[in-house]
């Protein structure tokens, strides 16, 4: 295998170093966290076989002898077991040198230079180079007496450098922050890894002086990741030049007006790439400026009416540092998720209010959706779409029954009949509403019949989950015209859902649009299993990336960016046992 071929697979294989003899994120119950930035928990799935005693290096290699002695110090004697993340890193470093017969890995100046450059480069990924002791490593090799340093000192550097290399590559490949510590319901799998293959690729990158290639290929190879890195670099460059200008508060600015604040508005939109620089001056609110405002509003998920009111001014005045943080948070999400985006699948972009169907990794259909209100948020998880319900009934969930439906029934006794909702007892028998104490109902279920006005519309798209969440049609079509569509009680309302159903069946003969319409026309509630289950990812991104790399910033509707950014910013200095 050539070095080019082997490094192209390195980004997939590197997670072995925190997963040797373990399960992945989704299978590992979270241990009590000291911080969200701790590495993912390590759970040994089966007892490790007894290891053969390591073979000491040859006596005529003092540096190898020193490395061997330093690694022997990693084994805890009287202090009890190491913390899991330290034990995992210690094992990876020890295995690495054992395979090399304890020969030094960082005596070559090219490798050291590429390592330091690679560690510095992770800042462009929104990570912290000092988590990998970059300054300490750099100071060590730049010390005047480094050339004559004794083997023991060089062995310390070897272990620290290898630990930094492994940790940086792992975190580039799958993230610094354990998502389970931020969201206990997280169930996305980390990539399955062959440990021996990963170790071989690591050794090859050292032997062939290809450390820089290892850093490049450890990053997610999806083009979206590269665009996010480019956007982060551009934002930081703009920040270094002073950022973007502030637009003063005041009355609503409208097309046709003359106002001193229009000059600041023009400058701000030029800085954001929405207005041609030749139009940067002037206090008249003309049509080109109105068009630029509308483009900006659309990118911020605001009503694109061209008027600059309080919401638009607030979006214009979000600081560039806040936008840098937003991009960094989404780079981390990309490291968590982009490896999952392969083959045929559906992605619900919760913060973007849209759903996309992918075939062979390419988007072939997209539609708007309505998602859960902030206090009834749509959960983030992965599942498999397994069946379709035509003409679904709707069983009123307990929370909606208590908070929404019961007050309406008490206010209007005809509410149930008007909405074709039946009352069922605990055995599923229909009850007369007049026999229910609506001040304190007990042991009842409310179920809305299929048909016109049903809350699930004509079709529901089902996938197993513990949240009773699914995709469905809706009679509330008017809400798709809103820019912000956090309007449901947790499920995902889909615009044009029958088009998605046809794609999911993927059978032009048996399940074309005419056949689907005929099934609905029967008015019978029917569950039909898909011929092939289709993966679905309910994900949360707070930026959009256009084909030209331009970013649009979404509202953080569920307030998730702050905790993720805090975990990213928490120093996590490398600890080699």
């Amino acid at each position: 295998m050539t070095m080019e071929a082997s490094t192209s697979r390195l980004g997939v294989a590197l997670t072995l170093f925190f997963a040797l003899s373990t399960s992945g994120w989704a299978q590992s119950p979270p241990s009590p966290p000291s911080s969200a930035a701790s590495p993912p928990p390590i759970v040994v799935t089966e007892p490790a076989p007894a290891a053969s005693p390591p073979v000491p290096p040859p006596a005529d290699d003092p540096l190898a002898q020193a490395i061997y002695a330093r690694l022997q110090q990693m084994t805890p004697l009287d202090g009890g077991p190491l913390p899991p993340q330290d034990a995992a890193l210690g094992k990876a470093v020890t295995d690495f040198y054992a395979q090399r017969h304890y020969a030094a890995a960082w005596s070559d100046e090219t490798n050291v230079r590429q390592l330091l450059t690679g560690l510095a480069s992770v800042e462009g990924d929104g990570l912290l180079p000092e988590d990998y002791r970059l300054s300490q490593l750099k100071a060590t090799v730049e010390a005047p007496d480094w050339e004559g340093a004794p083997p023991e000192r060089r062995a310390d550097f070897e272990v620290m450098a290898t630990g930094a290399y492994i940790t940086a590559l792992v975190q580039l490949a799958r993230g610094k922050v354990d998502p389970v510590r931020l969201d206990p319901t997280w169930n996305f799998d980390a990539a399955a890894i062959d440990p021996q293959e990963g170790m071989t690729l690591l050794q090859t990158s050292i032997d062939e002086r290809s450390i820089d290639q290892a850093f490049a290929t450890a990053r997610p190879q999806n083009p979206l990741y590269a665009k996010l890195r480019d956007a982060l670099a551009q934002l930081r460059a703009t920040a270094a030049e002073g950022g973007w200008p502030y637009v003063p508060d005041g009355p609503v600015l409208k097309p046709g007006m003359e106002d001193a604040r229009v000059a600041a508005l023009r400058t701000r939109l030029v800085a954001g790439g929405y207005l041609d620089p030749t139009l940067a001056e002037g206090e008249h609110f003309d049509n080109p400026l109105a068009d630029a405002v509308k483009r900006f509003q659309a990118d911020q998920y605001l009503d694109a009416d061209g008027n600059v009111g309080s919401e638009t001014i607030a979006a214009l005045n979000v600081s560039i540092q806040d936008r840098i943080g937003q991009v960094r948070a989404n780079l981390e999400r990309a490291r968590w998720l982009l490896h999952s985006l392969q083959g045929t699948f559906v992605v619900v972009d919760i913060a973007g209010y849209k759903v996309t169907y992918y075939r062979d990794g390419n988007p072939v259909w997209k539609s708007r959706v309505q998602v859960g209100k902030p206090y009834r948020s749509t959960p983030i998880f992965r599942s498999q779409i397994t069946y379709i319900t035509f003409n679904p009934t709707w069983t009123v969930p307990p929370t909606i029954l208590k908070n929404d439906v019961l007050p309406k029934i008490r206010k209007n006794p005809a509410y149930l009949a008007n909405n074709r909702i039946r009352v069922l007892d605990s055995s599923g028998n229909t009850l007369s509403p007049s026999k229910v104490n609506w001040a304190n109902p007990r042991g009842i279920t409310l179920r809305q019949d299929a048909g016109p006005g049903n809350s699930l519309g004509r079709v529901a798209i089902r996938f197993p989950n513990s949240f009773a969440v699914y995709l469905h049609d809706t009679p509330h079509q008017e809400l798709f015209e809103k820019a912000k569509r956090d309007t449901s009680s947790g499920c995902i309302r889909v615009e044009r859902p029958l088009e998605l159903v046809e794609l999911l069946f993927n059978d032009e003969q048996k399940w074309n649009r005419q056949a689907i319409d005929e099934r609905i026309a029967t008015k019978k509630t029917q569950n039909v299993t898909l011929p092939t289950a289709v993966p679905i990812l309910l994900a949360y991104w707070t930026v959009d990336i256009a084909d030209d790399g331009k970013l649009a910033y979404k509202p953080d509707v569920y307030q998730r960016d702050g905790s993720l950014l805090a975990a990213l910013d928490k120093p996590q200095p490398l600890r080699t046992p």
Side-chain angles (χ1 to χ4, degrees):
M1 181 183 297
T2 65
M3 187 59 207
E4 180 179 356
S6 62
T7 54
S8 69
R9 299 166 62 189
L10 188 58
V12 176
L14 285 169
T15 57
L16 74 101
F17 296 110
F18 283 129
L20 291 168
S21 301
T22 72
S23 58
W25 281 334
Q27 293 79 27
S28 304
S31 57
S34 57
S35 76
S38 301
I42 304 298
V43 178
V44 177
T45 56
E46 57 186 30
S52 302
V55 179
D60 60 354
D61 189 338
L63 180 51
Q65 288 278 342
I67 291 171
Y68 178 78
R70 174 66 179 83
L71 295 173
Q72 291 296 103
Q73 296 172 13
M74 288 185 177
T75 305
L77 299 175
D78 300 324
L82 290 169
Q85 61 267 27
D86 293 354
L89 179 58
K91 176 171 174 48
V93 173
T94 300
D95 289 350
F96 170 79
Y97 281 104
Q99 288 195 13
R100 299 178 60 81
H101 304 293
Y102 304 98
W106 304 103
S107 295
D108 182 88
E109 182 180 347
T110 298
N111 279 345
V112 173
R113 183 175 64 252
Q114 291 186 16
L115 173 66
L116 298 179
T117 300
L119 294 177
S121 74
V122 303
E123 186 172 18
D125 299 87
L127 297 171
L128 307 179
E130 287 309 306
D131 280 350
Y132 318 107
R133 294 189 178 181
L134 174 61
S135 295
Q136 187 175 351
L137 291 167
K138 189 175 181 180
T140 298
V141 298
E142 292 179 352
D145 61 345
W146 177 242
E147 288 297 325
E152 293 75 18
R153 185 175 164 196
R154 286 186 171 272
D156 286 341
F157 175 82
E158 284 279 338
V159 170
M160 187 192 308
T162 300
Y165 185 37
I166 290 172
T167 304
L169 293 180
V170 168
Q171 294 186 356
L172 282 174
R174 71 175 194 178
K176 169 182 175 178
V177 179
D178 178 6
V180 174
R181 297 182 185 272
L182 296 177
D183 182 357
T185 66
W186 183 270
N187 74 340
F188 292 86
D189 293 333
I193 301 301
D194 178 80
Q196 188 55 51
E197 180 184 8
M199 187 65 74
T200 300
L201 291 173
L202 184 65
Q203 297 284 5
T204 302
S205 71
I206 296 287
D207 296 341
E208 298 192 8
R209 298 181 178 87
S210 298
I211 309 300
D212 51 354
Q213 293 183 44
F215 274 95
T217 55
R219 297 179 171 98
Q221 298 303 294
N222 192 298
L224 295 177
Y225 190 83
K227 291 179 180 179
L228 278 172
R229 287 190 88 243
D230 291 344
L232 179 60
Q234 182 57 55
L235 284 171
R236 284 174 166 163
T238 302
E241 295 171 357
W244 44 53
Y246 178 82
V247 180
D249 291 329
V252 176
L253 294 173
K254 297 182 178 181
M257 294 179 62
E258 294 280 343
D259 192 295
R261 293 183 297 142
V262 171
L265 175 62
R266 288 181 178 276
T267 306
R268 170 65 182 87
L269 292 173
V270 168
Y274 293 93
L275 187 65
D276 190 284
T278 60
L279 304 176
E281 298 181 0
E283 298 182 358
H284 177 61
F285 199 140
D286 56 17
N287 288 334
L289 180 58
D291 291 340
V293 169
K294 290 177 182 178
R295 288 191 293 272
F296 175 83
Q297 290 170 326
D299 280 355
Q300 311 301 312
Y301 287 73
L302 299 170
D303 291 328
D305 57 8
N307 298 326
V308 182
S310 58
E311 279 194 310
T312 300
I313 289 178
L316 288 164
N317 288 335
V318 172
S319 75
I320 195 165
Q321 291 302 327
D322 285 345
R323 293 307 191 197
I324 287 172
Q326 197 168 346
V327 174
R328 290 180 60 219
N330 284 277
L331 276 163
E332 182 73 351
R333 292 186 179 111
R335 290 186 285 269
W336 294 343
L337 292 175
L338 287 184
H339 68 85
S340 298
L341 304 184
Q342 301 175 21
T344 297
F345 55 93
V346 174
V347 175
V348 177
D349 178 0
I350 295 172
Y353 313 115
K354 55 179 174 260
V355 58
T356 305
Y357 175 87
Y358 291 80
R359 183 168 289 162
D360 299 326
N362 298 310
V364 299
W365 179 86
K366 184 178 293 186
S367 184
R368 296 182 290 190
V369 300
Q370 302 168 36
V371 301
K373 303 176 180 73
Y375 61 91
R376 293 181 185 169
S377 60
T378 298
I380 297 168
F381 64 95
R382 176 178 180 142
S383 186
Q384 298 263 339
I385 300 173
T386 54
Y387 70 97
I388 307 298
T389 303
F390 294 104
N391 300 309
T393 61
W394 178 53
T395 300
V396 181
T399 300
I400 297 177
L401 173 62
K402 176 183 176 181
N403 297 331
D404 300 338
V405 175
L406 281 179
K408 294 176 181 178
I409 296 173
R410 292 164 183 158
K411 184 177 180 180
N412 176 17
Y415 175 83
L416 293 172
N418 293 342
N419 289 278
R420 296 178 301 102
I421 297 176
R422 291 179 292 122
V423 184
L424 308 178
D425 64 16
S426 58
S427 299
N429 300 312
T430 301
L431 295 176
S432 170
S434 63
K435 295 182 178 181
V436 176
N437 177 10
W438 292 109
N440 187 24
R442 300 265 183 190
I444 65 166
T445 297
L446 299 188
R447 183 165 297 155
Q448 186 179 39
D449 290 334
N454 181 277
S455 294
L456 305 188
R458 299 160 294 173
V459 66
I461 299 168
R462 312 281 191 174
F463 39 92
N465 65 90
S466 61
F467 309 100
V469 166
Y470 39 85
L471 276 64
H472 64 86
D473 189 14
T474 177
H476 301 293
Q477 295 293 310
E478 73 283 357
L479 296 179
F480 288 115
E481 299 304 319
K482 295 171 62 73
K484 297 178 182 177
R485 296 186 291 278
D486 49 331
T487 54
S488 83
S489 294
C491 286
I492 301 103
R493 302 168 179 167
V494 182
E495 188 178 34
R496 310 190 325 274
L498 300 185
E499 295 176 8
L500 177 57
V501 168
E502 185 176 1
L503 289 166
L504 291 170
F505 276 113
N506 193 27
D507 185 340
E508 295 181 0
Q509 299 300 317
K510 185 176 180 181
W511 287 106
N512 54 37
R513 181 56 184 272
Q514 180 180 347
I516 291 170
D517 289 341
E518 289 173 353
R519 188 64 62 107
I520 292 170
T522 67
K523 299 182 180 180
K524 295 180 180 179
T525 301
Q526 302 177 63
N527 293 325
V528 180
T529 301
L530 292 177
T532 303
V534 177
I536 181 168
L537 293 77
L538 277 63
Y540 191 87
W541 306 89
T542 55
V543 295
D544 274 334
I545 311 173
D547 291 341
D548 61 1
K550 187 173 180 294
L551 292 194
Y553 299 97
K554 310 172 189 177
D556 183 11
V557 61
Y558 295 162
Q559 300 300 303
R560 288 177 169 263
D561 281 356
S563 57
L564 173 52
L565 193 59
L568 273 175
D569 283 338
K570 186 177 180 62
Q572 184 185 310
L574 174 72
R575 293 189 301 173
T576 45

